């Protein structure tokens, strides 16, 4: 057949316009929906075209109607996963109604119907329990579905559904799937992206999912079709529960205490000395300290859910709250000075194995002509060390050298408070159910205690408060054309409170008074737009869609706002050996020995601490976008990227038992950029610079053009930090054949009338 150029151009223009419409309205694939298809035949196996097929959700009153095609096949796409039944009517046959069955997420349930000859007024019940889609017979994807009963009954540490995601073949506990990297999983909740965009931790969505809020989930481990993508690992689809025409709810509480917990071994051993025992353990005299008590661990988990109708058959709601309170202690061991060092006395073992002590006047005398630019012990430091030794008496041999320093062990309180809210509304806008909307919201307010550095230093907390929002709008344009649009916002947000906002001072190997943890916060909002259009034409189910994600990463960091100073024996001229020379000179003159090699570092650190000169200094300077120096303020940065996916797919029912799926997906991600212009890159790419040096060397020359660091990125109207990869075409092909052998070799090998499925596929 010949087609004129004018007609060809017209066809191309119409196709381009259609794709443009899809591109504008589309986003995150068909993830999060379900489908039901099948064939209608008579008792002799002949097709029944033109039969009326009605799909009904008895829980919500949802109905959708279609007719079988010329081969007696029917299909329903873009369904909310849930409980359904199929009703079939055709002239000359009894009416057939299946028992309820579950349409599973990211799966297609095949429901063949055999009609009996008779009157349509007679209803025949078809048992669906043996034929609903437990085994995938539609494509080559591998994976398992977990339904609500499994989720609620399987044991879960901390009641986190994410712990179940690894319970399928080809998945490791660490999140590696079929050999793929653990950070390549893609997690969606109701079809909305809920990935941790920075860390990419396997099976850890931004939104915590609780057993009582999740209806089901599916993990596709390999060979996903073109409607699913974003990354090469597992495709994980979670579905939030919905309300129905019946009221359902529950209340629950779980309590755990520490009555039967054993104490930490080091708590028992580290301070369990008798008061009258003067034995020296590793140099530390017994202080009569009681053994550290057993760390506390008391946990209470509680919550409840409620779901039901607001308007029967039209508007439903579901709400779940789950809280957890944990009182927990963790053993902490800190390095502290002993009382002798707090008196200005340093100790060490000499080469003859004798413990030597040198007091402050002696130190002042033998450092006067020394090799380090100091003369006297710093009385302020001695007072500081004395105060520390009094507040934190050494009670553990897990830290310190036993003669100048020891370990102070205590149980630090790290309480946890978790609050998780999940809500969902489902609304059939019109009575004919051609327009429906679902709205899902999530909010968390969590507080995680962080161990104090010492019992009397400020306690710090990490506050985590992510939110999630998902809106899905389904439009049944006609019985063969369905459009599903989605918008989602997933925002990770947390703040680490700083312990102390001042410059840090440390005495190496001796003591520091605080952890000097600095305040830090990060907010990662991801806007996700989604649309999938499904067109059922004859034996073909065609899908078009795109995936658009707008990702931001905003960080406020006080880590570079304060300076650091250290009394460090290694930072004198000549390093620690210059300090050792001073001590050895005095030791040789007094006792005719040197410091024992095993105790040199102890002598170095204790002497330098007492001298109290801060000789290692790190000055941290911040600058604004114009290069002006600023101090005492945090570093604020916001990074961004955008990701665009497009796909087209045709699932062709060649025969009722044979399905061929062909698809193509394309992905494009913009290079990461800093939104305020704090971005720089070398003026010559390093691989190019290396190649130029190599070329010059081959010619016997030298290439030494200086590399300049220049502003980069779109905010500076400059090239990006790195070039985008534009060649991300992802073809997909799958075939599924479900033979039912009646006779011959197939019946001999597989068994007569025994159904099975042979599947194969290829994906990039």
């Amino acid at each position: 057949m010949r087609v004129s150029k004018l007609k060809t151009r017209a066809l191309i223009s119409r196709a381009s316009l259609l794709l443009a419409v899809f591109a504008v309205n589309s986003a995150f694939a068909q993830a999060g929906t379900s489908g039901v298809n099948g064939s209608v035949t008579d008792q002799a196996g002949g097709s029944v075209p033109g039969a009326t097929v009605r799909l009904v959700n008895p829980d919500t009153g949802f109905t959708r109607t279609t007719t079988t095609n010329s081969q007696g096949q029917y299909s329903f796409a873009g369904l909310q996963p849930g409980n359904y039944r199929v009703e079939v009517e055709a002239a000359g046959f009894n009416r057939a109604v299946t028992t309820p069955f579950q349409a599973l997420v990211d799966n297609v349930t095949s429901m063949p119907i055999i009609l009996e000859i008779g009157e349509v007024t007679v209803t025949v019940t078809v048992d669906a329990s043996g034929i609903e889609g437990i085994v995938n017979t539609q494509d080559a994807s591998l994976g398992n579905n977990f339904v609500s009963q499994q989720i609620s009954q399987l044991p879960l540490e901390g009641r986190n559904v994410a712990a179940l995601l690894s319970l399928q073949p080809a998945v490791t506990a660490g999140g590696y799937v079929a050999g793929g990297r653990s950070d390549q999983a893609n997690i969606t909740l109701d079809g909305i992206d809920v990935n941790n965009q920075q860390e990419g931790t396997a099976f850890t969505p931004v939104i915590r999912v609780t057993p009582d809020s999740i209806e089901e989930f599916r993990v596709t481990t390999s060979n996903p079709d073109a409607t699913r993508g974003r990354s090469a690992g597992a495709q994980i689809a979670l579905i939030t529960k919905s309300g129905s025409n019946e009221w359902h709810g529950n209340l629950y509480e779980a309590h755990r205490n520490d009555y039967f917990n054993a104490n930490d071994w080091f708590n028992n051993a580290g301070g369990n000395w008798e008061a009258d025992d003067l034995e020296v353990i590793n140099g530390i005299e017994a202080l009569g300290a009681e053994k550290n008590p057993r760390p506390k661990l008391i946990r209470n988990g509680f919550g409840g859910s409620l779901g039901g109708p607001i308007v029967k058959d039209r508007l439903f709601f579901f709400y779940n709250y789950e809280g957890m309170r944990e009182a927990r202690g963790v053993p902490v061991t800190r390095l502290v000075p002993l009382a002798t060092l707090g008196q200005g006395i340093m100790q060490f073992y000499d080469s003859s194995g004798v413990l030597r002590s040198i007091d402050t006047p002696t130190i002042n005398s033998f450092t006067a002509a020394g090799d380090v630019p100091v003369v006297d012990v710093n009385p302020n430091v001695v007072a500081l060390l004395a105060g520390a030794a009094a507040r934190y008496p050494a009670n553990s041999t897990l830290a310190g050298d036993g003669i100048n320093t020891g370990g102070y062990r205590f149980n630090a309180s790290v309480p946890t408070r978790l609050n998780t809210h999940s809500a969902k509304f489902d609304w059939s806008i019109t009575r004919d159910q051609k327009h429906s909307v679902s709205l899902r919201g999530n909010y968390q307010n969590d507080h995680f205690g962080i161990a104090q550095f010492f019992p009397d230093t400020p306690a710090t907390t990490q506050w985590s408060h992510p939110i999630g929002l998902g809106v899905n709008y389904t439009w049944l344009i006609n019985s063969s054309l369905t459009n599903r649009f989605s918008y989602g916002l997933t925002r990770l947000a947390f703040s680490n409170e700083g312990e102390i906002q001042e410059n840090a001072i440390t005495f190496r190997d001796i003591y520091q008074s605080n952890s000097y943890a600095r305040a830090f916060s990060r907010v990662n909002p991801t806007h996700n737009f989604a649309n999938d259009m499904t067109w059922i034409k004859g034996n073909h189910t065609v899908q078009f869609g795109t995936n658009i994600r707008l990702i931001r990463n905003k960080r406020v960091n006080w880590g570079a706002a304060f300076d650091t100073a250290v009394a460090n024996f290694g930072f004198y001229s000549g390093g620690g050996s210059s300090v050792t020379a001073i001590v050895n000179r005095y030791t040789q003159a007094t006792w005719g020995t040197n410091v024992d090699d095993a105790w040199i570092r102890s002598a170095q650190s204790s002497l330098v601490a007492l001298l109290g000169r801060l000789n290692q200094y790190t000055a941290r300077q911040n600058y604004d976008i114009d290069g002006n120096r600023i101090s005492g303020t945090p570093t604020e940065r916001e990074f961004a990227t955008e990701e665009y996916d497009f796909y087209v797919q045709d699932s062709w029912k060649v025969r009722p038992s044979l399905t061929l799926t062909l698809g193509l997906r394309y992905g494009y991600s913009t290079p990461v950029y800093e939104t305020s212009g704090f971005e720089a890159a070398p003026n010559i790419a390093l691989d190019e610079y290396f190649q130029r040096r190599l070329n010059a060397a081959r010619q016997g020359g030298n290439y030494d053009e200086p590399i300049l660091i220049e502003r980069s990125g779109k905010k500076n109207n400059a090239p990006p930090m790195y070039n985008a990869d534009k060649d991300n075409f992802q073809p997909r092909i799958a075939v599924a054949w479900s033979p039912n052998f009646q006779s011959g070799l197939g019946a001999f090998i597989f068994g007569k009338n025994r159904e099975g499925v042979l599947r194969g596929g290829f994906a990039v």
Side-chain angles (χ1 to χ4, degrees):
M1 180 177 66
R2 302 178 65 182
V3 182
S4 68
K5 291 183 178 180
L6 185 60
K7 289 183 178 180
T8 301
R9 290 175 181 173
L11 289 172
I12 293 175
S13 298
R14 291 175 183 175
S16 300
L17 178 61
L18 184 61
L19 288 174
V21 171
F22 289 144
V24 169
N25 293 319
S26 300
F28 194 67
Q30 189 70 354
T33 62
S34 184
V36 176
N37 65 22
S39 60
V40 179
T41 60
D42 58 25
Q43 291 174 299
S47 301
V48 181
T52 300
V53 183
R54 182 178 297 105
L55 186 69
V56 179
N57 185 326
D59 298 330
T60 63
F62 168 90
T63 62
R64 188 180 293 182
T65 304
T66 188
T67 57
T68 56
N69 60 21
S70 60
Q71 295 184 7
Q73 297 180 15
Y74 71 92
S75 182
F76 297 98
L79 301 173
Q80 180 80 7
N83 203 32
Y84 292 93
R85 70 170 183 263
V86 173
E87 302 174 356
V88 182
E89 297 179 2
F93 296 93
N94 293 336
R95 179 171 178 264
V97 178
T98 69
T99 57
F101 60 90
Q102 189 76 14
L104 303 174
V105 63
D106 273 14
N107 213 337
V108 177
T109 301
S110 181
M111 192 61 57
I113 303 295
I114 300 176
L115 297 180
E116 299 178 1
I117 296 176
E119 298 295 329
V120 74
T121 55
V122 177
T123 299
V124 176
T125 301
V126 179
D127 184 7
S129 61
I131 56 177
E132 60 179 283
I134 299 299
V135 178
N136 176 19
T137 62
Q138 305 300 311
D139 56 34
S141 64
L142 300 178
N144 295 318
N145 287 78
F146 283 69
V147 297
S148 178
Q149 185 178 16
Q150 293 169 291
I151 295 172
S152 61
Q153 293 183 358
L154 286 170
L156 284 172
E157 171 64 23
R159 291 180 56 81
N160 188 358
V161 175
L164 297 175
L165 300 181
S166 63
L167 298 184
Q168 35 258 307
V171 182
T172 71
Y176 293 87
V177 180
R181 291 170 56 93
S182 61
D183 61 356
Q184 290 298 299
N186 178 40
I187 310 176
T188 63
L189 178 61
D190 302 319
I192 303 301
D193 186 306
V194 290
N195 296 285
N196 188 317
Q197 301 293 347
Q198 174 171 313
E199 297 175 2
T201 309
F203 303 150
T204 307
V206 170
I207 304 298
R208 183 169 54 248
V209 286
T210 61
D212 288 272
S213 67
I214 295 299
E215 179 65 30
E216 64 169 298
F217 68 85
R218 173 180 168 86
V219 179
T220 302
T221 57
S222 61
N223 277 340
D225 62 25
T227 68
R228 302 169 184 88
R230 177 188 181 274
S231 51
Q235 305 295 312
I236 302 162
L238 301 119
I239 296 298
T240 305
K241 285 184 177 180
S242 296
S244 66
N245 281 323
E246 295 185 0
W247 290 94
H248 293 279
N250 68 342
L251 291 172
Y252 51 89
E253 181 181 18
H255 173 74
R256 170 182 175 173
N257 57 51
D258 57 4
Y259 292 157
F260 300 103
N261 287 6
N263 199 1
D264 183 276
W265 188 91
F266 293 103
N267 273 4
N268 282 332
N272 193 15
W273 301 328
E274 297 297 334
D276 58 352
D277 186 359
L278 299 180
E279 178 187 1
V280 175
I281 301 178
N282 209 19
I284 303 178
E285 289 189 358
L287 302 176
E290 296 290 337
K291 65 180 181 180
N292 282 314
R294 178 180 59 197
K296 182 185 294 185
L297 178 55
I298 301 175
R299 180 183 297 164
N300 284 285
F302 51 90
S305 63
L306 181 65
I310 299 176
V311 178
K312 185 178 180 181
D313 292 341
R314 297 286 300 279
L315 182 59
F316 310 94
F317 84 96
F318 172 82
Y319 171 74
N320 173 242
Y321 166 77
E322 183 162 299
M324 195 272 281
R325 304 292 184 267
E326 183 179 77
R328 183 166 64 97
V330 295
V332 175
T333 303
R334 303 297 185 198
L335 179 67
V336 294
L338 296 182
T340 51
L341 197 63
Q343 296 168 7
I345 300 172
M346 61 173 287
Q347 301 186 85
F348 58 87
Y349 284 91
D350 66 13
S351 55
S352 61
V354 178
L355 179 63
R356 303 297 187 183
S357 298
I358 306 178
D359 59 16
T360 295
T362 304
I363 294 174
N364 291 342
S365 66
F366 75 69
T367 57
D371 302 311
V372 294
V374 293
V375 289
D376 292 327
V377 168
N378 188 331
N380 294 324
V381 172
V382 173
L384 174 68
L385 299 180
R391 289 197 308 276
Y392 318 121
N395 59 4
S396 172
T397 58
L398 295 176
D401 57 29
I403 54 176
N404 296 301
T405 58
Y408 177 73
R409 190 170 176 87
F410 66 99
N411 291 327
S413 176
V414 286
T416 299
R417 296 171 57 89
L418 306 182
N419 298 280
T420 307
H421 303 267
S422 305
K424 189 177 182 184
F425 295 88
D426 297 276
W427 179 31
S428 293
I429 301 174
T430 57
R431 292 188 179 276
D432 59 7
Q433 298 181 339
K434 287 189 174 182
H435 302 273
S436 60
V437 171
S438 67
L439 171 65
R440 184 257 305 161
N442 305 84
Y443 176 68
Q444 290 173 220
N445 191 339
D446 302 337
H447 291 79
F448 303 92
I450 300 174
Q452 298 163 274
F453 200 75
F454 284 109
D456 56 354
T457 57
T460 60
T461 302
Q462 182 186 88
W463 177 37
S464 177
H465 46 108
I467 62 172
L469 174 68
V471 181
N472 293 300
Y473 165 58
T474 302
W475 176 23
L476 181 61
I477 301 173
N478 55 49
S479 61
S480 62
L481 189 61
T482 305
N483 190 80
R484 184 174 185 261
F485 172 78
S486 301
Y487 165 74
L489 168 63
T490 302
R491 192 196 72 167
L492 180 150
F494 71 87
S495 302
N496 285 335
E497 298 177 352
E499 181 189 37
I500 188 169
Q501 302 293 79
E502 61 184 39
N503 295 331
I505 297 177
T506 302
F507 299 91
R508 183 180 177 183
D509 289 353
I510 301 295
Y511 175 68
Q512 70 178 64
S513 60
N514 297 278
S515 68
Y516 298 107
R518 307 305 187 186
F520 175 82
S521 64
R522 175 158 61 89
V523 178
N524 297 130
T526 298
H527 295 272
N528 190 191
F529 300 89
N531 195 87
D532 180 86
M533 181 168 283
T534 303
W535 179 32
I536 301 172
K537 181 64 174 177
N539 299 336
H540 297 266
T541 300
V542 183
Q543 290 177 267
F544 302 88
T546 70
N547 178 357
I548 301 173
R549 292 177 298 274
L550 311 179
I551 303 169
R552 299 295 182 266
N553 185 328
K554 185 173 182 178
R555 309 154 64 85
V556 179
N557 188 357
W558 285 86
F562 301 96
D563 299 343
T564 300
V566 184
N568 189 347
F569 56 82
F571 269 67
Y572 283 107
S573 177
S577 59
S578 62
V579 181
T580 307
I582 299 175
V583 183
N584 277 338
R585 184 167 53 249
Y586 175 81
T587 304
Q588 290 169 355
T590 307
W591 299 295
T593 60
N594 287 327
V595 178
D596 184 89
D597 289 345
W599 295 91
I600 287 176
R601 180 159 177 169
S602 175
Q604 292 171 340
S605 58
S606 57
L607 174 59
V608 169
L610 291 175
L611 297 178
R613 270 56 174 182
L614 302 176
N615 57 341
Q616 177 188 353
Y617 195 86
T618 302
R620 294 181 172 88
Q621 309 293 334
N622 290 329
Y623 297 85
D624 62 20
I625 191 66
D626 297 317
N628 300 314
R629 178 175 173 269
I630 54 178
S631 60
T633 59
T635 301
E636 298 186 45
R637 299 288 183 268
E638 184 179 41
F639 302 93
T641 187
E642 292 83 35
E643 300 176 351
Y644 305 90
D645 287 352
F646 307 86
Y647 64 87
V648 60
Q649 176 173 285
D650 179 17
S651 182
W652 176 25
K653 277 283 186 183
V654 182
R655 295 201 304 267
S657 62
L658 181 62
T659 305
L660 178 64
T661 304
L662 300 173
L664 178 65
R665 189 178 184 95
Y666 175 77
Y668 173 77
S669 300
T670 64
V672 175
Y673 61 95
E674 207 286 322
T675 60
S676 298
F678 287 97
E679 182 179 328
N683 63 326
I684 305 172
L686 297 185
D687 57 345
E688 173 63 22
Y689 192 86
F690 177 78
Q691 188 61 48
R692 293 181 186 181
R693 288 180 61 89
L694 189 63
N695 294 338
R698 286 171 177 168
Q699 299 174 10
N702 186 26
Y703 179 80
D704 57 0
E705 181 177 350
I707 294 179
L708 303 178
I709 303 300
E710 300 176 338
R711 291 185 181 183
S712 64
K714 60 171 61 178
K715 181 67 176 181
N716 296 312
N717 296 316
M721 190 180 302
Y722 58 90
N723 294 325
D725 181 4
K726 300 179 180 179
D727 189 23
N728 288 310
F729 291 94
Q730 306 163 43
R732 315 285 173 92
I733 182 171
V735 61
W737 179 39
S738 304
N740 187 350
F741 298 104
Q742 301 293 328
S743 61
L745 182 62
F748 175 76
I749 296 175
F750 298 101
K752 187 176 181 180
N753 293 326
R754 180 165 294 178
E755 295 185 358
V757 57
L758 298 174
R759 296 180 293 155
F762 169 80
V764 175

